[in-house]
Amino acid sequence: MIDANEIWHEAEEQRRYLFFGDSDINWYALDLKEGMFHELDKPSGSVMETFSDFNEMLASALEYTLD
């Protein structure tokens, strides 16, 4: 996770996020400025979905992976 964040943080706009993981098309991250958990679109970095907490984000990521 540390190595991945170092790579993702090479881009200035991505330094506001702590990345927990990714799928084929999404990143799962904590927005350090807002304190919100997000699913981000990989190509654009746009917020696709916002979660109230880490558990909700994890459940969504697992559901996506298992479908």
Side-chain angles (χ1 to χ4, degrees):
M1 188 167 115
I2 293 169
D3 290 339
N5 274 280
E6 286 177 349
I7 292 168
W8 290 326
H9 287 174
E10 289 176 3
E12 179 72 32
E13 65 275 3
Q14 294 177 352
R15 291 182 188 161
R16 72 182 290 159
Y17 297 107
L18 174 61
F19 294 92
F20 292 102
D22 66 324
S23 67
D24 294 336
I25 59 171
N26 301 317
W27 286 313
Y28 296 94
L30 170 64
D31 185 324
L32 298 169
K33 291 183 180 181
E34 296 179 3
M36 300 294 294
F37 292 91
H38 297 301
E39 176 183 338
L40 305 170
D41 177 60
K42 264 191 187 174
S44 69
S46 300
V47 174
M48 303 300 294
E49 191 168 348
T50 299
F51 305 100
S52 60
D53 58 33
F54 178 82
N55 290 335
E56 184 181 354
M57 181 182 70
L58 180 59
S60 177
L62 290 173
E63 183 179 319
Y64 173 81
T65 302
L66 297 175
D67 279 343

